[in-house]
Amino acid sequence: DGMNVLFIIVDDLRPVLGCYGDKLVKSPNIDQLASQSMVFSNAYAQQALCAPSRVSFLTGRRPDTTRLYDFYSYWRVHAGNYSTMPQYFKENGYVTLSVGKVFHPGVSSNYSDDYPYSWSIPPFHPSAEKHENDKTCRGNDGKLHANLVCPVNVTEMPGGTLPDIQSTEEAIHLLNIMKTTRQKFFLAVGYHKPHIPLRYPQEFLKLYPLENITLAPDPWVPKKLPSVAYNPWMDIRQRDDVEALNVSFPYGALPDDFQRRIRQSYYAAVSYVDVQIGLLLSALDDAGLSNNTIVVFTADHGWSLGEHGEWAKYSNFDVATRVPLMFYVPGMTTSPVSQGARVFPYLDPFSHIGGSVPQGQSKKVVELVSLFPTLAELAGLQVPPVCPKMSFGVVLCTEGRSIAHYFNISEGKVEQGKEGCDDTGRCFNEEPVALSQYPRPADTPQWNSDKPRLKDIRIMGYSMRAIDYRYTLWVQFDPSNFSANFKDVHAGELYMMENDPNQDYNIYNNTSHGWLFKKMID
């Protein structure tokens, strides 16, 4: 019979959630999901940019294998005809459905969200999406602007709605059809917020009085940050309200009061999405599907909120690469639900008080590239094989590894029978690491440092995150043959998490790290 899958992916969401220990945010519905789920507190994206990250976790391959570091190529043409996670479920008898932003739209998913390979019916895109960057934000001058900070009156919006509201309605509609037809489904729902512009219903501001909003703990550019590592947040600078502040490029700081406004609106947008997810999960209950549907919740990458004097994504820091990741598996993360019992009653963030703790929590370092094999295993499908070293010609394999074996073991124990190495020479009892990477056009911040096109990439920053450190090497990269030269290191970063949790003090130049270098190039 098999489990259904509801896969929820949120755009640019770092783990500012109650279930991740954030004291300010109101996220009762995601927290309630966490209370029934296995939650991974150290999960990382493979590149802090929408299209490369999504193509990576949807194919189970790293960016060096998808050869996508920007937005401008389709992996099936440009790299290899790799099967995707939804395609694999579709080939195993599932109806696969896409709502909202799942694949990044455009050439990187063949202008079709990889339909018909990945999906049973053409993906749904909310009609209000086309107004995302219009001038819909009322400024202090009473005129409409294309601002970064954009609380709105929904009734005044084109069509009287917003994209994420439409996506929730469509997803609920599809759940009810699936319930009626009794087909096994894989439903992916991609929410747009808190991606910029921070456009959300204005009432959510009430949850976050400005006087409660602090600056980032480290709102300055660290002294020993290599210039190649800095991202100059060009997309923020181009919004009307930020442009008006005339901040110097690349290192000028935004005024404190505006930094607070951005942070306030990011939190408000998170609560707005939490409401959408609450409605969606409550509808899963209503359809009687909570007892046979796996729910996965994650994001494509994080987003800096002023840390290191940076905003947006485009870097290798935890604030840009770390994501929430949780799995609700009925009968595994919770005891089976009796028919008709509610698992996910809707919680109103304006009235709900009190937090909830995750059902199970793992501090193991994990990667989004592992989603594909993990979901296959949890759904009882055959786990795709591990990719060989060179896998451009291999249609079905994964560079991640299933993390399902972390679910029901107590922390700290090495799982029995899992020691030893697999055929790639990687050993299970080694402490796991997460690999992320980010391309740059030059050693110093340029107008295109955040999003260099493939032909302009000259340096690749490879970053390795273990439980106790983050180690990053910025090396020469040749885009014509996709080769990184580890003999030509432009800069390095090393942060020890125990005494530098915010990654502010780079000790690369006063530490010997030959062993880390070996581990990185292995």
Side-chain angles (χ1 to χ4, degrees), residues 257-403:
D257 62 318
F258 196 78
Q259 292 197 32
R260 285 198 175 84
R261 286 197 187 279
I262 299 176
R263 290 171 66 93
Q264 174 191 39
S265 274
Y266 186 89
Y267 275 84
V270 171
S271 291
Y272 158 58
V273 171
D274 182 78
V275 163
Q276 303 310 312
I277 290 167
L279 295 168
L280 177 61
L281 291 173
S282 169
L284 189 74
D285 267 352
D286 291 339
L289 293 165
S290 306
N291 59 349
N292 64 348
T293 303
I294 295 167
V295 181
V296 191
F297 172 83
T298 190
D300 54 355
H301 44 70
W303 211 78
S304 298
L305 287 165
E307 296 84 2
H308 316 113
E310 295 181 305
W311 299 87
K313 44 236 179 185
Y314 320 124
S315 85
N316 278 321
F317 283 120
D318 277 19
V319 283
T321 54
R322 185 170 168 240
V323 293
L325 177 62
M326 62 189 78
F327 298 84
Y328 161 78
V329 189
M332 185 176 181
T333 60
T334 56
S335 43
V337 192
S338 56
Q339 201 62 46
R342 294 198 75 84
V343 189
F344 304 118
Y346 173 74
L347 302 173
D348 181 350
F350 293 92
S351 57
H352 182 76
I353 297 167
S356 48
V357 270
Q359 171 66 24
Q361 200 157 16
S362 174
K363 290 192 172 66
K364 289 276 190 216
V365 172
V366 298
E367 307 177 286
L368 286 187
V369 75
S370 295
L371 267 171
F372 185 171
T374 304
L375 259 183
E377 182 171 343
L378 293 173
L381 304 181
Q382 195 168 0
V383 180
V386 174
C387 291
K389 259 266 179 277
M390 290 289 282
S391 64
F392 294 107
V394 184
V395 171
L396 180 68
C397 71
T398 168
E399 294 183 296
R401 52 182 56 260
S402 173
I403 56 175

Side-chain angles (χ1 to χ4, degrees), residues 141-161:
D141 56 5
K143 295 196 180 84
L144 292 174
H145 300 273
N147 287 344
L148 169 62
V149 171
C150 187
V152 296
N153 177 341
V154 178
T155 59
E156 291 174 5
M157 290 300 103
T161 188

